[in-house]
């Protein structure tokens, strides 16, 4: 007689078998005879046949209940082994929803292109470094997650130069490999928009610790007895700072009269601007910044005496279901309010958010100032080398729909949590460091009060040292002077100077204005670490097959197997012979470049793309299992429009 327990065991067995059958893939290397035995065993179990006893198909086993429990244990063991095997493999997947939520406070359930902030080739660099360094990597990828990075067998990067999303959409049949083999893809900004290339974005690693070391040295060198005319000379050990310091001279012996160290060392770097979701002047699928204005037509380089201004905004919710500007305030270094106005949105306000903004209907009814008036006034007020300060200033710049390259963000220069993603509020920072209470009333925030508090926080930090107020840099509560750490030393990586030819242009030309803005927003550091040195430190072998110019710039004296190639066919053959023996392989396909000027027919261009795609597929077949494979379609700049690119990512199985 069948009991309830028998039914339960049989039910569990069927569920386990069904689940195992669902997730299990046939192993191509399994011998046919073994497969047949496995299939026969499964069939026998399902029919209740005890094959070991030689019973016939119609006979019932002697101990059916015991056999069912044994088979259930076997199925469970098979599932455990499969799960264990999956834990031995790396996995990569996008985290776009998390990125969109961070970028858009009122992000809903539907993910739209405009909700995703622009991604750059440098974001690909962060993925590569994380795959190499693991938990030691300082900046985690903001757009994806790589699980079990220690299981990555190798990294292969292929670049399809000259190809953009235009070709991907226009000739979909030419990219059968990319469409079938890569399920993970994301759009990127074309690096030529900001005067960079794929190799410079991938291989130039800016020295993040140099500012910290430089600031300590600068405090030590600034002695009271040194007169203005007695300037300390830079020693050979003094290395250049991070990219945010525009001056080529690595030491700044004369600071602003109230500063203990260089205020330029507090500026957000280009990478930080991207990470903190600041609006950047690039054309991208993200339409949120299409109508943004520049705070100046041209920007002058910043230095230690560039003036600082604090900006704060208040917003209300409109019928567009977006937060829109309703008040803006600007304070100078003397804590004087130089601009403060209410602003009427073009869309009707449906929620004044008075408890946060302090805005009411009575305040807004007589207001006639509009956003263009604010933008015009700010352009008039700010000098070309102005430094803007604010608490999470990226949101304020989005509110006034303007770009600005030189910013100090109090939510970044102060950190009490030890985590970059966890920001301390302005109210708590002001109470802790400036010893003042703000936002105490019930009528909402006051943008003048908040801007003043922000300026005080920046000035307060400049009177101490770069590590002050930041527990990530070893600061502890109550510390006012930088602690001496005898174990801290300059990184073992050598700094390489970036040699770039200077382009001579007419200073009155439109191109000159664009170039000046590019230099301000996308500051290319004159000194960098090479990614190949990082690979060498982690005992990773590297090879590159590309043009001679890239080899000369990045492939020398770093233990790199660097091979010049003048054709895609040669590149494919060389890379196929190297991907099995190196931990990192970089290559570029350049044969499509002659086709982008429009001198060839569409058929020839399409044929070239098909051949390039097939070569990617042939290389992919030779890549080791569990390798991280990245294909970069960088996009390009045409005379009339910008063509964005795409990054394809997968783990080779």
């Amino acid at each position: 007689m069948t009991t309830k327990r028998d039914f339960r065991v049989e039910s569990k067995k069927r569920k386990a078998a069904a689940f195992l059958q669902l997730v299990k893939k046939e192993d191509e290397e399994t011998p046919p005879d073994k497969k047949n035995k496995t299939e026969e065993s499964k069939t026998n179990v399902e029919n209740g046949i005890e094959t070991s006893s030689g019973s016939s198909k119609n006979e019932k086993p002697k101990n059916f209940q015991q056999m069912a429990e044994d088979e259930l244990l076997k199925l469970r063991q098979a599932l455990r082994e499969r799960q264990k095997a999956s834990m031995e493999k790396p996995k990569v997947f996008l985290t776009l929803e998390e990125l969109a939520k961070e970028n858009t406070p009122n992000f809903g359930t539907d993910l739209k292109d405009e909700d995703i902030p622009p991604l750059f080739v440098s974001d690909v660099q962060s993925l590569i470094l994380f795959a190499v360094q693991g938990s030691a990597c300082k900046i985690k990828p903001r757009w994806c997650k790589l699980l079990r990075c220690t299981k990555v067998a190798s990294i292969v990067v292929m670049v399809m130069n000259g190809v953009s999303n235009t070709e991907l959409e226009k000739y979909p049949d030419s990219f059968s490999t990319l469409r079938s083999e890569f399920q993970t893809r994301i759009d990127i900004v074309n690096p030529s928009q900001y005067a960079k290339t794929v190799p410079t974005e991938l291989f130039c690693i800016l020295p993040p610790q140099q500012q910290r070391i430089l600031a300590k040295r600068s405090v030590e060198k600034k002695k009271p007895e040194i007169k203005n005319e007695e300037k300390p000379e830079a020693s050979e050990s003094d290395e250049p700072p991070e990219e945010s310091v525009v001056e080529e001279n690595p030491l700044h012996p004369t600071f602003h009269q109230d500063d203990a160290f260089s205020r330029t060392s507090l500026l957000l770097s280009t990478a930080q601007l991207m990470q903190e979701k600041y609006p950047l002047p690039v054309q991208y699928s993200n339409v949120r910044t299409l109508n943004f204005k520049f705070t100046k037509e041209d920007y002058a380089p910043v230095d230690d005496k560039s003036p600082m201004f604090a900006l704060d905004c208040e917003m209300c919710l409109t019928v567009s279901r977006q937060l829109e500007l309703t008040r803006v305030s600007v304070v100078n270094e003397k804590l004087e309010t130089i601009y403060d106005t209410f602003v009427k949105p073009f869309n009707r306000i449906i929620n004044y958010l008075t408890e946060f903004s302090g805005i009411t209907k009575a305040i807004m009814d007589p207001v006639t100032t509009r956003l263009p008036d604010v933008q015009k006034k700010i352009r008039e007020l700010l000098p070309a080398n102005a430094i803007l300060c604010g608490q999470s200033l990226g949101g304020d710049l989005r509110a006034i729909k303007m770009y600005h390259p030189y910013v100090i963000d109090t939510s970044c220069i102060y950190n009490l949590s030890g985590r970059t993603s966890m920001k301390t509020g302005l109210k708590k920072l002001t109470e802790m460091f400036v010893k003042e209470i703000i936002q105490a009333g019930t009528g909402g925030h006051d943008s003048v009060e908040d801007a003043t508090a922000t300026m005080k926080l920046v000035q307060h930090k400049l009177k101490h040292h770069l590590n002050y107020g930041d527990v990530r840099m070893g600061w502890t509560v109550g510390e006012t002077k930088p602690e001496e750490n005898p174990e801290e030393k300059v990184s073992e990586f050598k700094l390489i100077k970036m040699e770039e030819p200077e382009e001579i242009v007419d200073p009155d030309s439109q191109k000159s204005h664009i170039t000046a803005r590019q230099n301000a927003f996308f500051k290319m550091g004159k000194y960098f670490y090479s990614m190949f040195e990082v690979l060498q430190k982690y005992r990773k072998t590297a090879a590159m097959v590309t043009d001679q110019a890239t080899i000369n710039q990045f492939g020398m004296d770093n233990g790199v197997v660097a091979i010049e190639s003048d054709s895609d066919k040669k590149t494919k053959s060389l890379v196929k012979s190297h991907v099995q023996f190196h931990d990192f392989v970089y290559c570029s396909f350049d044969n499509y470049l002659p086709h982008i000027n429009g001198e060839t027919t569409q058929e020839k261009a399409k044929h070239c793309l098909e051949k390039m795609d097939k070569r990617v597929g042939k290389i992919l077949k030779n890549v080791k299992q569990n390798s991280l494979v990245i294909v970069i379609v960088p996009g390009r700049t045409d005379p009339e429009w910008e063509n964005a690119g795409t990054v394809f990512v997968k783990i080779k199985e």
Side-chain angles (χ1 to χ4, degrees):
M1 179 178 177
T2 305
T3 64
K4 290 183 179 180
R5 181 179 178 182
D6 295 337
F7 278 118
R8 286 197 299 270
V9 171
E10 276 297 296
S11 176
K12 290 179 180 179
K13 187 185 76 170
R14 285 195 300 270
K15 289 178 181 178
F19 179 74
L20 187 63
Q21 186 69 21
L22 213 88
V23 300
K24 187 174 181 181
K25 293 182 180 179
E26 292 292 343
D27 189 351
E28 296 178 356
E29 299 179 358
T30 303
D33 57 338
K34 189 173 181 180
K35 285 186 180 179
N36 293 335
K37 289 181 181 179
T38 304
E39 302 253 336
E40 182 181 352
S41 175
K42 272 195 207 174
T43 306
N44 290 338
V45 169
E46 289 173 0
N47 294 329
I49 300 175
E50 190 175 4
T51 55
S52 60
S53 63
S55 302
S56 66
K57 187 174 180 179
N58 296 325
E59 291 179 358
K60 189 174 181 180
K62 297 179 180 179
N63 192 346
F64 181 82
Q65 177 179 324
Q66 183 61 42
M67 182 198 166
E69 291 181 351
D70 291 344
E71 192 60 33
L72 179 59
L73 290 175
K74 291 179 182 179
L75 290 172
R76 286 177 173 172
Q77 180 64 27
L79 287 174
R80 282 195 293 268
E81 290 177 357
R82 186 170 191 83
Q83 291 172 349
K84 183 178 179 180
S86 68
M87 295 299 291
E88 296 297 318
K89 297 180 180 180
K91 182 180 180 181
V92 64
F93 57 91
L94 299 178
T95 54
L96 299 185
E97 288 195 6
E98 296 177 16
L99 192 62
K101 288 177 181 178
E102 292 178 359
N103 184 61
T104 311
N106 56 338
F107 170 76
T109 56
D110 297 328
L111 182 63
K112 302 177 182 178
D113 288 342
E114 57 265 28
D115 293 324
I116 304 172
L119 295 176
F120 300 79
V121 177
S122 58
D123 287 303
V124 180
Q125 181 197 82
S126 66
L127 173 60
I128 295 173
L129 289 176
F130 183 71
V132 173
Q133 298 176 300
S135 58
C137 185
K138 297 185 183 304
I139 301 179
K140 306 298 188 292
R142 62 182 181 134
W143 57 285
C144 67
K145 283 188 178 180
L146 176 61
L147 302 181
R148 297 175 285 277
C149 60
T150 57
K151 305 296 182 182
V152 173
S154 67
I155 303 169
V156 180
V157 180
M158 294 176 271
V159 182
M160 305 172 75
N161 280 326
V163 185
S164 70
N165 288 353
T166 301
E167 282 75 22
L168 294 177
E169 296 171 3
K170 189 175 182 180
Y171 310 114
D173 295 337
S174 298
F175 300 97
S176 58
T177 299
L178 293 182
R179 288 191 295 108
S180 61
E181 295 290 340
F182 293 85
Q183 283 71 49
T184 304
R185 57 175 289 182
I186 189 167
D187 289 353
I188 58 169
V189 174
N190 170 21
S192 62
Q193 286 196 57
Y194 45 96
K196 291 189 182 180
T197 63
V198 172
T200 55
E201 285 277 76
L202 284 181
F203 304 144
C204 293
I205 303 176
L206 294 164
Q209 297 300 323
Q210 290 309 306
Q211 280 188 354
R212 178 181 177 183
I213 298 168
L214 176 66
K216 289 189 174 184
R217 291 175 180 162
S218 299
V219 172
E220 294 169 2
K221 288 177 182 291
K222 189 182 178 185
K223 304 290 184 180
E225 64 271 20
I226 295 180
K227 298 180 180 180
N228 292 335
E229 67 269 17
E230 296 175 351
K231 297 181 180 180
E233 296 180 356
S235 65
E236 292 181 358
S237 63
D238 290 321
E239 296 177 355
E242 196 175 351
E243 62 171 349
S244 61
V245 181
V246 179
E247 298 272 357
E248 183 166 359
N249 181 5
L251 288 177
H252 295 265
T254 56
F255 305 129
H256 188 277
Q257 60 182 0
D258 297 325
D259 299 348
F261 63 96
S262 171
R263 59 180 54 185
T264 58
S265 61
L266 294 181
L267 295 176
L268 293 190
S269 66
T270 302
Q272 288 173 310
L273 289 173
M274 298 174 187
Q275 188 176 8
E276 298 296 330
K277 296 93 182 176
Y278 274 75
L280 294 172
V282 292
Q283 294 188 30
Y284 185 71
S285 58
N286 186 329
V287 297
R288 290 182 179 275
T289 61
L290 285 180
N291 299 318
F292 280 37
K293 306 294 184 183
F294 291 92
T295 51
K296 300 297 290 186
E297 185 64 27
D298 291 308
Y299 295 96
V302 288
D303 55 33
D304 297 325
K305 295 185 178 180
S306 294
M308 298 190 303
F309 300 86
L311 181 143
D312 190 77
C313 298
E314 303 297 343
M315 279 82 78
C316 294
L317 187 66
T318 68
V319 291
S320 66
R321 297 294 174 182
Q322 299 291 330
L323 295 175
E324 296 194 41
L325 180 70
T326 47
R327 186 182 180 185
V328 57
S329 304
V330 181
V331 173
N332 64 15
E333 290 188 64
K334 297 180 180 179
L335 306 181
E336 299 170 338
T337 303
I338 61 173
Y339 186 52
D340 179 35
T341 183
F342 293 100
V343 188
K344 178 166 288 186
F346 289 105
N347 295 307
R348 181 174 57 85
I349 298 174
I350 59 175
N351 190 338
Y352 289 90
L353 303 173
T354 305
E355 64 273 25
F356 303 108
S357 67
I359 306 295
T360 62
K361 185 177 185 301
I363 292 175
M364 293 303 300
D365 281 346
V367 174
T368 58
T369 302
R370 298 285 191 176
L371 180 60
D373 302 321
V374 172
Q375 294 171 333
K376 181 180 178 181
K377 186 65 176 178
I378 288 179
R379 287 171 68 99
E380 294 173 354
L381 285 173
L382 297 182
N385 66 339
I387 298 174
L388 274 184
C389 306
Q391 172 80 4
S392 298
L393 186 59
D396 298 299
L397 290 174
R398 288 185 179 276
I400 62 174
K401 295 188 176 182
M402 300 191 83
Y403 305 112
H404 192 77
Y406 312 128
V407 298
I408 297 176
D409 195 325
T410 50
S411 73
C412 297
I413 65 175
Y414 288 95
N415 187 288
L416 304 180
S417 66
R419 296 174 57 186
T420 303
S421 58
M422 292 184 63
K423 309 291 187 183
T424 304
L426 181 62
K427 180 178 181 178
K428 183 175 180 179
L429 290 176
T430 305
E431 182 179 356
M432 181 172 182
F433 293 99
V434 186
K435 310 302 180 185
E436 293 182 5
I437 305 297
I438 64 169
Q439 302 173 357
T442 58
H445 297 181
D446 183 330
S447 54
V448 172
E449 180 184 53
D450 290 352
T452 303
T454 300
M455 180 60 72
K456 288 181 178 180
L457 282 169
V458 174
Q459 292 173 334
H460 181 73
K461 176 151 184 165
L462 285 170
K463 292 177 181 178
H464 292 83
H465 55 89
L466 187 60
N467 298 3
Y468 181 79
D470 193 340
V471 298
R472 297 167 301 180
M473 287 184 152
W475 177 83
T476 57
V477 178
E479 175 193 334
T480 58
K481 295 182 179 181
E483 293 183 354
E484 294 296 332
N485 185 1
E487 297 181 355
E488 184 178 58
K489 58 181 180 179
V490 178
S491 171
E492 62 204 85
F493 299 137
K494 65 180 180 181
L495 286 166
I496 304 170
K497 187 171 183 179
M498 174 67 73
E499 299 289 350
E500 293 186 349
E502 293 186 3
E503 185 179 5
I504 301 176
V505 296
D506 180 2
D508 296 326
S509 68
Q510 180 64 22
K511 186 176 181 180
S512 175
H513 292 307
I514 295 174
T515 302
R517 289 201 294 258
Q518 286 177 339
N519 292 336
F521 280 91
F522 301 95
K523 303 173 280 294
M524 170 60 77
K526 293 183 181 295
Y527 295 84
F528 64 94
Y529 295 149
S530 170
M531 175 185 283
F532 295 107
E533 286 194 273
V534 177
L535 291 168
Q536 197 173 40
K537 176 190 174 183
Y538 284 83
R539 299 180 181 179
K540 306 289 186 182
T541 60
M544 63 184 337
V545 182
T546 185
D547 59 274
Q548 190 61 50
T550 303
I551 290 174
N552 292 342
Q553 191 172 16
F554 301 104
M556 310 300 290
D557 301 326
N558 289 314
V560 184
V561 177
I563 307 172
E564 180 188 6
S565 175
D566 54 6
S567 71
D568 287 0
K569 183 177 181 180
K570 181 179 178 181
T571 298
K572 180 257 300 179
S573 300
L574 290 169
V575 174
K576 281 176 62 179
S577 63
H578 282 82
V579 290
Q580 286 287 331
F581 307 104
H582 292 283
D583 303 306
F584 178 86
V585 178
Y586 169 88
C587 70
S588 62
F589 297 107
D590 303 320
N591 281 9
Y592 186 70
L593 290 172
H595 295 271
I596 63 178
N597 55 15
E599 296 179 0
T600 57
T601 63
Q602 288 191 6
E603 287 301 318
K604 289 183 178 179
K606 184 178 178 181
H607 180 64
C608 181
L609 293 170
E610 289 176 353
K611 290 171 66 176
M612 189 182 297
D613 180 80
K614 287 181 180 178
R615 285 166 179 148
V616 169
K618 289 180 180 179
I619 292 174
L620 185 60
K621 288 181 179 179
N622 285 267
V623 173
K624 292 181 287 187
Q625 284 190 341
N626 295 335
S627 292
L628 174 63
V629 184
I630 302 171
V631 178
I632 300 176
V633 175
R636 65 175 183 276
T637 301
D638 284 339
E640 297 181 358
W641 64 83
E642 300 289 346
N643 293 299
T646 298
V647 170
F648 297 84
V649 184
K650 74 169 296 180
I651 298 294
K652 170 69 180 297
E653 297 181 354

